[in-house]
Amino acid sequence: MAEEVFDPASRIQDYLVFGEFGDVNPSITDSSTYTFTSAEKMEELFDHEIEGCFLYSRHWNPTNKYLAQALARMEDSESAQVMASGMSAISSAILQLCRTGDEIISSHTIYGGTYALFKNFLPRLGIKVNFVDLTDLDAVRGAVTKDTKVVYCETMSNPLLEIADIPSLSALAREHGLKLVVDNTFSPMIVSPIRLGADVVVHSMTKFINGTSDCVAGCVCASNELVHQLTDINEGASMLLGGVLDSTRAASILKNLHSLHLRMKQHSSNADFLAEGLRSLGLKVYYPGFEDHPQYELLRSMMNPGFGFGGMLALDVGDAGTANKLMKLMQDMKVGYLAVSLGYFKTLFSAPGHSTSSEIPIEERMEIGLSEGLVRFSVGLDNDMTHSLERIKECLKEVSII
Ligand code: PLP
């Protein structure tokens, strides 16, 4: 029998919510607290969750539930929790899974904020992170100790776009009784890590999922058990650290989620065009859709069909001075914005060595090949990419790169 093709877009398409009055966009929860018909009912809810019953919006609220359910459908997880930022999703998931004395295995080539959390903050709580090359499975295996609890990776690493071998990391994690946590921020819909064996998926919804760069938000997609633990009123990291999403934002993100499949296709085809165009000029380009990208076949084997290779690419122009001049020119020429972040409808570019990866010490950046002249592009939804490429070429000529 042919293997079922998982289509996250159809999972969102089939998600219909009828609001209080049949509203197609259900009313936004405008309350932090909820009434009870009896004190006994309230007591019962403190003891265990009751379907359709709400206590306090930091615990759960109806709007957040709608968005969480949609995200769980997209990632094919049993459940999800929506958080106030990607970092809040990452820190809550990690702190739920680890305690003092535990260890995590991760990589240097992760988002700088996550790296800083792992390198500087978690040790204050007695949690140690071993950074290894996650594309080297023997190195990962070698880093497992009796205290390891979590392997943490990004599907597409930031900013060098290395691809994590999720099925192999998952097999390794299972073999040693560890949890595999995957940050899927760069590749929503493209890759479904839980279907490939991951235990937990985290997202910065600030990026592609929301797509309008008007808020920060995050989510944790996981088993019912982990989401119950996160929201537990006595021990839950989301409940007790309190970084849950505001319902107004949850409502707007849910609306944007319904166009994510179209946006991902357009981001991907524009990035493909730009990556090919820049490489044809003899430039050093990092892009996972190149057939000679070291993990091209791996990515193809993990991808859901139809969404492309994602909207991210990186261009190495050699040194920081040239990168800075180029980015300023590209902004002046209306290619997009000189700004951090990604997944916006406009093209965004920044030099990770001096921004989103600056938390990683320079020696470590050199070791992993993160050049000072690297310019990361989050390619926007431009209707005419030919025109955008021509403008970029003008800028490259101006800085004598071509
Ligand atoms: N994960 C990745 C891959 C990111 O790029 C970022 C932010 O840039 C985050 C997590 C953190 O997300 P947020 O800024 O929403 O807290």
Side-chain angles (χ1 to χ4, degrees):
M1 219 170 65
E3 222 178 284
E4 179 214 350
V5 176
F6 181 70
D7 180 10
S10 304
R11 298 294 294 270
I12 298 294
Q13 186 185 321
D14 291 346
Y15 182 62
L16 263 63
V17 175
F18 294 91
E20 232 178 326
F21 304 102
D23 354 7
V24 290
N25 294 311
S27 328
I28 301 171
T29 307
D30 196 24
S31 298
S32 56
T33 190
Y34 302 80
T35 57
F36 284 81
T37 47
S38 70
E40 290 75 20
K41 200 82 190 158
M42 181 186 279
E43 209 178 317
E44 196 186 331
L45 195 61
F46 264 91
D47 189 50
H48 59 266
E49 270 186 35
I50 307 169
E51 186 62 32
C53 241
F54 294 90
L55 173 71
Y56 188 64
S57 279
R58 172 159 47 80
H59 181 239
W60 269 118
N61 68 65
T63 314
N64 286 13
K65 262 239 147 116
Y66 291 140
L67 176 60
Q69 280 163 357
L71 292 160
R73 287 182 72 83
M74 179 179 85
E75 288 295 0
D76 206 21
S77 61
E78 282 178 356
S79 190
Q81 170 64 311
V82 291
M83 307 296 301
S85 68
M87 286 313 298
S88 157
I90 294 165
S91 54
S92 298
I94 290 295
L95 292 176
Q96 202 63 49
L97 294 169
C98 298
R99 56 186 65 217
T100 303
D102 288 345
E103 293 185 12
I104 296 169
I105 299 174
S106 190
S107 148
H108 295 274
T109 66
I110 51 174
Y111 163 60
T114 312
Y115 176 85
L117 171 76
F118 286 180
K119 176 104 183 194
N120 307 329
F121 199 94
L122 292 186
R124 289 165 47 182
L125 308 176
I127 300 169
K128 182 179 166 207
V129 183
N130 294 305
F131 297 97
V132 300
D133 175 359
L134 285 182
T135 62
D136 178 353
L137 290 173
D138 289 334
V140 181
R141 194 169 281 109
V144 177
T145 72
K146 64 173 190 7
D147 296 321
T148 311
K149 292 290 174 329
V150 164
V151 177
Y152 182 96
C153 67
E154 293 175 358
T155 310
M156 277 182 199
S157 77
N158 183 4
L160 292 171
L161 307 173
E162 281 170 0
I163 308 300
D165 184 345
I166 298 171
S168 302
L169 288 171
S170 150
L172 193 151
R174 262 153 231 263
E175 197 187 305
H176 293 91
L178 318 175
K179 297 285 182 209
L180 176 63
V181 180
V182 180
D183 181 334
N184 202 27
T185 298
F186 278 31
S187 44
M189 297 222 161
I190 299 173
V191 177
S192 303
I194 287 183
R195 293 187 65 85
L196 300 168
D199 298 287
V200 180
V201 166
V202 289
H203 277 282
S204 165
M205 297 200 290
T206 314
K207 314 292 162 37
F208 290 103
I209 290 184
N210 186 43
T212 42
S213 285
D214 53 1
C215 71
V216 286
C219 67
V220 181
C221 300
S223 62
N224 284 330
E225 190 190 359
L226 185 66
V227 174
H228 275 129
Q229 286 170 358
L230 281 167
T231 54
D232 186 275
I233 52 174
N234 292 306
E235 293 200 49
S238 116
M239 180 65 183
L240 300 179
L241 300 176
V244 295
L245 187 59
D246 177 71
S247 52
T248 318
R249 284 307 182 187
S252 64
I253 296 169
L254 179 57
K255 282 176 272 194
N256 290 357
L257 185 63
H258 284 274
S259 62
L260 178 62
H261 60 301
L262 296 173
R263 290 186 280 113
M264 289 316 292
K265 288 177 194 186
Q266 186 74 6
H267 282 298
S268 291
S269 71
N270 282 353
D272 203 71
F273 181 84
L274 185 57
E276 293 290 350
L278 291 173
R279 185 146 94 160
S280 71
L281 301 169
L283 301 174
K284 186 169 180 190
V285 179
Y286 294 83
Y287 171 62
F290 286 147
E291 284 184 25
D292 57 1
H293 180 284
Q295 292 100 27
Y296 172 79
E297 286 303 337
L298 168 67
L299 178 55
R300 274 179 50 110
S301 72
M302 298 196 302
M303 280 162 66
N304 295 314
F307 302 102
F309 291 90
M312 303 302 295
L313 64 92
L315 170 69
D316 191 350
V317 294
D319 62 274
T322 311
N324 291 348
K325 267 191 227 143
L326 176 68
M327 292 189 296
K328 166 85 172 77
L329 278 169
M330 289 195 297
Q331 179 160 265
D332 292 346
M333 291 278 283
K334 298 190 170 52
V335 172
Y337 293 112
L338 198 183
V340 296
S341 202
L342 50 127
Y344 187 41
F345 46 76
K346 296 274 189 205
T347 296
L348 302 178
F349 32 83
S350 57
H354 293 265
S355 58
T356 49
S357 298
S358 57
E359 296 89 341
I360 305 173
I362 178 115
E363 319 76 63
E364 287 181 31
R365 274 187 263 143
M366 291 297 127
E367 213 174 286
I368 58 176
L370 204 162
S371 142
E372 291 285 282
L374 200 73
V375 178
R376 184 186 79 176
F377 286 77
S378 165
V379 183
L381 300 176
D382 309 19
N383 186 42
D384 183 357
M385 236 11 237
T386 322
H387 189 55
S388 308
L389 178 59
E390 284 313 313
R391 287 180 177 183
I392 296 172
K393 279 189 195 166
E394 288 302 308
C395 302
L396 288 165
K397 278 186 198 146
E398 194 76 23
V399 293
S400 313
I401 284 291
I402 57 170

